[in-house]
Amino acid sequence: MEILHIENLSFRYPKCESYAVKDINLNICAGEFVVLCGQSGCGKTTLLKLIKRELAPVGEKSGEIKYNGTDIKELYDRASASEIGYVMQNPDSQTVTDKVWHELAFGLENLGLPQEAIRRRVGETASWFGIQGWFRKDTDKLSGGQKQILNLASVVAMEPQLLILDEPTGQLDPIAAADFISTLLRLNRELGITVILAEHRLEEVFPVADRVLVMDGGKIILNGRPENIERGLLSLNENHPMLSGMPGAVRIYNMLQRRLPDIFNPSELKPRGECLLTVRQGRDFLEEHFKGEGQGDVKPERQEEPYAIEMKNVWFRYERDLPDILTGMELRISRGELFFLLGGNGSGKTTVLNVISGLNKPYRGRILIDGKSIKDYRGNALYRRKLAYLPQNPQTVFLKDSVRADFVELFKALEISRADYEPKIEKISEKLGIEGLLDRHPYDLSGGEQQKCALAKILLTEPEILLLDEPTKGMDAHSKLALKAVLKELKTEKMTVAVVSHDVEFAAENADRCALFFDGSVISSDVPEIFFAENSFYTTAANRMARRLWKNAVTCEQVVEKCIEEAGKRRKTVGEDGNKTCEKI
Amino acid sequence: MKAFSGYHPLTLLIYFLSVLMTAMFLWNPVIQLEALLGAGLFAAMLQNGKETAGDILFYIPLFIMAALANPLFSHNGVTILFFMNGNPVTAEAFIYGIALAVTLIAVLLWCKCYSIIMSSDKFIYLFGRAIPKLSLVLSMALRFVPLFKRRFHKVRKAQRAMGMYSSKSYTDRLKGTLLTFSAVTSWSLENAMETSASMKARGYGLAGRSNFSIFRFAPHDFLLLAFNVLLMLGTLMGAAFGELEFYYYPQISGSSLSVPGLLAYVCFGVLTLLPFIIELKEKILWKYFISKI
């Protein structure tokens, strides 16, 4: 049965030339799990908000949206509020009240349910979501993941038929995100709630989706089963930007198909002609077709350079009665190195950066920045052309009404005259591609744009050492590629960069060296090819697929390189054996 | 964990009001001492040993100061003890000072217990019944304040790590604080848009909003309330008969002990000790259950 029917929907914001969404035709059946993907700014949010009447933006709209056969404009207020649920990205700003139980009851109060009915529904919901343990807590005391589960639960308490989620895991770490997605999947599978989910992080949701929609420029360009999306993208454009955002298995399949076309006949592959989606499928496929020789290439160790950052037996805790966060931490980062510190949520990775940047003082141990003890940097000396720190939320970097005003404020503090700073602003804007954003209000920018502008501001202090906290949080694949390019350029400038991150895929692609932080200290550290090969759980999707063939292949590109190498060798031996036709690899 | 806080907010409010009003308006030394004793025992039950010790260290000097202040400034009374700077210091003023200090500390301690027991959600529940909109606004405000604080600290830290507004200059720092404040305010307003969207999406603004609370008026609430009313009646009866009247000036004099007076003292004594008894009973029961396992 059709639950949502959209016909010829177009919409544009007031005073806008172009349409935010255009000619959307879409049918969604009851009980479907639909994933909506596309680059930031492609119109996903606008489309989702148009479906939820209460949130529909103001502007010029044509076409119709029907929910269960009724135009959403004609739905009863109560039905519209309760039957179509909407969850947004930011866990903090969606929470209305101060107590968990009150938050759960909020929607039901609005519907005017009697006390006993609310008590029952709230209790039921809390039990189903497993939140009875923090039922009486303050909402402010919850972790980001818990907050987002609460936001979901308080919407589900109203018994929606259709659940719309706009990048709900954008602000969560991978573990919390996977938790959230599995809860969502349970809602869909066990309660039959129809789900429309907009997401950037596709690794988990892509294989379980019933249908995937790809949006670009306000239009739905693809609409089909996840297995067919890769083929669809390929037929639209060989190098479609969305391809880089696909799960590892899809990317490997895609690259193999493009780069080994002469010996790669999709019709002979298993599963027949269908794209690989999960790590298991990818692994089976690779092991069936390749033998795997050698371990894969390992980046040579960097030459010994003097240390830019050195931590010697550092101990830290926030308060006297609280447990230690850093327990005898030892860390050495050489000059010019791009270093990634990985680790679980709440393990204290951010604290490491706070301590290195002098914002928190350890109670024991020494920290040397460029060979000089951090205590010997008087006043602001450390933050002047030496070290810069970009916090997790780039918004915290801005205080003024425009990005440019913020830059100017910084130069005033650095005592640089106007004639000197104008070219600097120009140069950095060009480098990061933010020329068009300089006169915008920092809060009006999208997450990725904010990140770039914040990075620009930090770089204007001309640091030698750059600290980044979770720079890829909430970013789409395209922005990640842009960040990758920036990091590469910084590396050619010999800047030392220390990144704290959850994002193993991003670390594998970019790091000179990775380290795992656990229980207050670094427990392993190596070049990514060895680091991930030695890990069994904490590793990339590509490595999980290929680790039995080529242990040290950790990125999709490396796996594909190895496949091509092996195919090439085989072709050579086949050629020597006589002109047999190409054997199936 | 705290047995007394498990009662219904309304029961608790009535209890605290009864005790506080009586202690403040019935100027009788026995009543005041009973109020102090009850509050002290209750506070000791609610806190751990370290906090209680800290309290004692805080209240004893306060007690002495309050008690000594009165005879220094008030020279009423007939029993002159000695002269200071040509002014008489009287025994009545001295005793009145002690009574004043007892009342002051009893009221302070009761207020302290009140703030421990009556958490924000109970408060909101009570006032929400009268004005439903207000209770939501209060709840949202209580959610907003810690969020604002957290954001403020984050921005401050980010600015410090850029070496901004952290020089020795006082004006520079003040400027930084003001700028941060205004930035966090606009950040919060920006967020408020999203919060209001989330409220609207969940049907806020529909007619006939109801008010949910997790508190239930249970039989033990009724029992406590009934006790409370009875004991208050006993106390007020004593006051109504004029048996609780007590004068410090010009000479210490009170009504002689009578049946209604005695009844009032007993009633109020029991009333002030109720929370302590409830907590103690709970603790003993708990121990008993554990020992059985």
Side-chain angles (χ1 to χ4, degrees):
Chain A
M1 200 193 74
E2 221 169 55
I3 191 164
L4 190 70
H5 176 87
I6 301 179
E7 217 174 291
N8 295 326
L9 178 71
S10 294
F11 176 85
R12 68 176 166 191
Y13 287 96
K15 293 180 200 152
C16 271
E17 294 273 303
S18 56
Y19 283 89
V21 296
K22 191 156 172 51
D23 301 329
I24 304 277
N25 283 296
L26 182 65
N27 291 317
I28 288 172
C29 294
E32 264 193 299
F33 191 104
V34 181
V35 171
L36 175 64
C37 55
Q39 289 176 36
S40 300
C42 69
K44 291 188 304 257
T45 301
T46 309
L47 174 62
L48 295 181
K49 284 196 169 165
L50 283 169
I51 301 173
K52 175 80 180 163
R53 187 178 73 194
E54 288 82 354
L55 302 181
V58 181
E60 188 191 311
K61 185 183 140 191
S62 62
E64 60 179 352
I65 305 171
K66 280 184 175 168
Y67 168 75
N68 270 341
T70 325
D71 195 301
I72 56 159
K73 276 178 285 185
E74 281 144 28
L75 278 178
Y76 289 114
D77 288 342
R78 256 153 238 278
S80 171
S82 69
E83 288 185 19
I84 305 178
Y86 197 99
V87 178
M88 294 176 260
Q89 188 186 85
N90 190 331
D92 268 328
S93 58
Q94 288 179 76
T95 314
V96 178
T97 62
D98 65 328
K99 295 281 176 190
V100 171
W101 61 262
H102 198 179
E103 190 65 23
L104 281 172
F106 178 74
L108 303 169
E109 288 181 328
N110 292 337
L111 294 177
L113 261 59
Q115 172 94 1
E116 278 311 309
I118 297 183
R119 185 187 304 281
R120 180 174 177 176
R121 194 85 71 77
V122 162
E124 229 188 337
T125 315
S127 319
W128 199 87
F129 280 89
I131 57 184
Q132 60 275 55
W134 26 283
F135 186 64
R136 282 169 188 257
K137 264 193 173 178
D138 286 349
T139 48
D140 198 63
K141 298 263 154 46
L142 306 179
S143 72
Q146 286 176 325
K147 270 183 207 152
Q148 202 63 316
I149 290 276
L150 172 64
N151 288 327
L152 178 63
S154 50
V155 167
V156 170
M158 298 173 75
E159 298 196 318
Q161 300 295 310
L162 174 65
L163 202 51
I164 302 169
L165 304 103
D166 190 7
E167 290 176 29
T169 66
Q171 305 286 320
L172 309 183
D173 65 89
I175 309 280
D179 247 14
F180 186 88
I181 296 293
S182 66
T183 309
L184 202 57
L185 202 62
R186 257 181 80 208
L187 280 172
N188 175 258
R189 301 283 197 263
E190 290 178 20
L191 305 180
I193 298 176
T194 314
V195 174
I196 305 178
L197 168 70
E199 259 300 345
H200 284 319
R201 192 166 14 197
L202 298 172
E203 197 75 48
E204 292 103 6
V205 292
F206 204 77
V208 296
D210 293 315
R211 194 136 57 104
V212 176
L213 309 173
V214 183
M215 270 186 92
D216 194 17
K219 291 184 180 171
I220 293 184
I221 53 168
L222 284 176
N223 176 356
R225 292 201 49 80
E227 298 88 321
N228 302 329
I229 289 301
E230 182 262 353
R231 202 187 308 153
L233 284 173
L234 212 56
S235 66
L236 285 172
N237 177 356
E238 276 265 308
N239 293 310
H240 200 281
M242 271 310 291
L243 282 169
S244 64
M246 291 287 138
V250 178
R251 287 178 59 199
I252 288 182
Y253 178 84
N254 172 263
M255 282 190 273
L256 282 176
Q257 215 177 28
R258 277 188 302 163
R259 300 194 44 192
L260 290 175
D262 52 332
I263 51 165
F264 203 90
N265 185 354
S267 64
E268 289 176 20
L269 298 179
K270 259 188 192 171
R272 217 155 269 291
E274 282 185 346
C275 179
L276 311 164
L277 295 177
T278 63
V279 166
R280 195 178 80 188
Q281 286 171 352
R283 197 185 63 186
D284 291 350
F285 172 83
L286 288 175
E287 287 180 2
E288 192 178 330
H289 295 283
F290 297 95
K291 287 201 199 74
E293 283 155 12
Q295 304 214 309
D297 307 317
V298 175
K299 234 183 268 173
E301 285 264 0
R302 287 168 45 87
Q303 282 174 354
E304 280 292 310
E305 294 236 11
Y307 296 129
I309 301 170
E310 211 178 344
M311 294 174 86
K312 290 181 175 170
N313 188 29
V314 173
W315 294 73
F316 175 78
R317 64 176 81 147
Y318 279 99
E319 270 169 48
R320 198 174 154 174
D321 299 331
L322 293 178
D324 284 319
I325 309 284
L326 305 182
T327 54
M329 170 121 176
E330 300 273 342
L331 183 69
R332 275 161 202 88
I333 302 173
S334 324
R335 273 187 206 158
E337 192 174 27
L338 178 47
F339 177 85
F340 271 74
L341 188 66
L342 301 155
N345 204 32
S347 59
K349 299 193 302 300
T350 298
T351 309
V352 175
L353 291 190
N354 282 343
V355 168
I356 293 175
S357 60
L359 291 175
N360 288 124
K361 308 245 174 320
Y363 68 91
R364 197 184 301 154
R366 265 157 63 82
I367 297 167
L368 305 173
I369 303 294
D370 240 355
K372 193 167 136 188
S373 171
I374 200 164
K375 285 178 198 143
D376 297 336
Y377 288 93
R378 295 273 162 224
N380 282 327
L382 183 64
Y383 309 121
R384 296 280 174 261
R385 300 193 173 79
K386 184 56 78 186
L387 180 141
Y389 175 19
L390 180 60
Q392 208 172 102
N393 188 342
Q395 200 164 326
T396 55
V397 169
F398 301 103
L399 293 183
K400 294 286 197 167
D401 293 340
S402 77
V403 177
R404 191 191 296 276
D406 247 299
F407 288 176
V408 170
E409 184 77 7
L410 177 72
F411 283 118
K412 271 190 211 152
L414 294 173
E415 288 162 0
I416 294 174
S417 70
R418 192 185 177 92
D420 288 331
Y421 71 62
E422 286 292 351
K424 284 187 183 182
I425 294 183
E426 218 164 278
K427 203 176 137 207
I428 197 88
S429 320
E430 200 186 325
K431 192 161 139 191
L432 293 175
I434 53 165
E435 295 102 324
L437 310 175
L438 285 179
D439 295 310
R440 302 259 304 270
H441 195 289
Y443 293 180
D444 291 340
L445 305 174
S446 76
E449 291 170 338
Q450 240 175 29
Q451 183 93 34
K452 272 191 256 178
C453 292
L455 187 60
K457 184 172 177 186
I458 300 286
L459 289 177
L460 284 175
T461 63
E462 296 172 346
E464 293 170 5
I465 300 167
L466 181 63
L467 308 178
L468 303 175
D469 192 359
E470 297 285 358
T472 59
K473 199 172 193 178
M475 267 194 180
D476 65 355
H478 187 71
S479 311
K480 277 190 195 178
L481 285 179
L483 180 66
K484 188 176 173 176
V486 171
L487 287 178
K488 211 167 178 181
E489 182 160 352
L490 293 178
K491 219 165 119 173
T492 59
E493 290 167 16
K494 296 267 171 233
M495 192 179 293
T496 312
V497 184
V499 186
V500 146
S501 180
H502 283 115
D503 193 336
V504 276
E505 315 285 335
F506 192 74
E509 281 175 29
N510 296 291
D512 288 329
R513 195 154 59 92
C514 296
L516 184 62
F517 182 77
F518 177 73
D519 195 28
S521 59
V522 171
I523 56 169
S524 67
S525 141
D526 233 314
V527 292
E529 287 80 9
I530 297 177
F531 177 81
F532 290 112
E534 296 297 327
N535 289 351
S536 328
F537 306 104
Y538 212 81
T539 183
T540 60
N543 184 248
R544 277 181 227 168
M545 283 181 249
R547 61 185 300 134
R548 288 200 273 191
L549 299 172
W550 307 283
K551 201 176 171 200
N552 295 327
V554 293
T555 65
C556 293
E557 283 77 13
Q558 285 170 343
V559 171
V560 172
E561 282 308 319
K562 280 283 151 194
C563 292
I564 292 170
E565 201 177 290
E566 193 180 313
K569 260 187 216 159
R570 203 169 317 164
R571 210 173 326 171
K572 224 164 137 197
T573 53
V574 169
E576 280 159 8
D577 284 354
N579 284 331
K580 274 193 227 160
T581 44
C582 272
E583 207 180 327
K584 188 178 97 184
I585 43 167
Chain B
M1 195 188 110
K2 273 145 197 135
F4 199 64
S5 67
Y7 283 85
H8 194 268
L10 194 65
T11 321
L12 293 176
L13 185 75
I14 291 173
Y15 177 80
F16 278 109
L17 281 179
S18 323
V19 173
L20 272 171
M21 291 293 162
T22 314
M24 282 197 292
F25 295 115
L26 280 186
W27 260 135
N28 182 294
V30 182
I31 296 282
Q32 284 154 355
L33 276 175
E34 281 173 342
L36 180 65
L37 182 73
L41 287 174
F42 187 23
M45 268 303 195
L46 291 180
Q47 298 172 318
N48 59 31
K50 209 170 151 192
E51 285 167 318
T52 312
D55 267 7
I56 291 173
L57 281 182
F58 172 74
Y59 285 115
I60 285 181
L62 189 70
F63 182 87
I64 294 170
M65 258 162 54
L68 287 183
N70 190 58
L72 289 184
F73 297 107
S74 164
H75 307 295
N76 291 339
V78 290
T79 323
I80 294 167
L81 295 176
F82 55 88
F83 282 88
M84 212 166 92
N85 297 338
N87 285 320
V89 174
T90 64
E92 283 80 8
F94 195 68
I95 289 170
Y96 187 80
I98 290 175
L100 207 63
V102 167
T103 314
L104 177 74
I105 286 168
V107 168
L108 281 177
L109 278 175
W110 276 115
C111 287
K112 188 182 178 118
C113 297
Y114 172 87
S115 71
I116 294 174
I117 295 287
M118 292 293 259
S119 52
S120 62
D121 47 340
K122 287 186 187 136
F123 178 79
I124 287 171
Y125 166 74
L126 285 172
F127 291 87
R129 306 211 80 163
I131 320 165
K133 281 258 164 62
L134 182 71
S135 87
L136 182 65
V137 170
L138 278 173
S139 174
M140 289 174 70
L142 283 170
R143 146 118 198 88
F144 178 73
V145 172
L147 199 65
F148 191 92
K149 259 166 120 178
R150 200 144 37 87
R151 285 186 180 143
F152 190 87
H153 283 297
K154 269 188 190 163
V155 173
R156 229 30 204 142
K157 245 182 177 171
Q159 299 298 325
R160 228 171 80 209
M162 282 189 287
M164 304 279 283
Y165 317 114
S166 51
S167 65
K168 293 247 161 63
S169 145
Y170 190 71
T171 47
D172 186 42
R173 284 185 185 206
L174 186 69
K175 189 181 156 205
T177 308
L178 289 176
L179 270 174
T180 310
F181 193 82
S182 91
V184 175
T185 307
S186 48
W187 182 0
S188 301
L189 285 177
E190 190 89 5
N191 258 276
M193 302 285 288
E194 225 169 284
T195 309
S196 79
S198 152
M199 289 168 72
K200 249 168 86 184
R202 284 190 271 160
Y204 185 71
L206 292 174
R209 190 173 194 280
S210 61
N211 225 321
F212 174 68
S213 82
I214 47 172
F215 304 111
R216 261 199 284 200
F217 203 83
H220 66 256
D221 287 304
F222 185 77
L223 208 67
L224 181 64
L225 198 60
F227 253 124
N228 192 345
V229 170
L230 275 178
L231 292 172
M232 268 317 277
L233 276 179
T235 312
L236 291 178
M237 212 140 73
F241 280 121
E243 299 298 339
L244 297 185
E245 268 166 39
F246 194 87
Y247 302 98
Y248 294 91
Y249 299 127
Q251 198 171 8
I252 291 174
S253 60
S255 21
S256 57
L257 211 56
S258 63
V259 175
L262 196 65
L263 186 72
Y265 294 143
V266 171
C267 281
F268 191 68
V270 173
L271 187 69
T272 53
L273 286 176
L274 266 181
F276 172 73
I277 293 167
I278 290 169
E279 295 285 346
L280 192 70
K281 186 194 107 195
E282 203 75 358
K283 259 190 190 168
I284 290 169
L285 268 182
W286 190 240
K287 282 249 162 69
Y288 175 67
F289 277 131
I290 284 177
S291 68
K292 260 211 321 206
I293 302 162

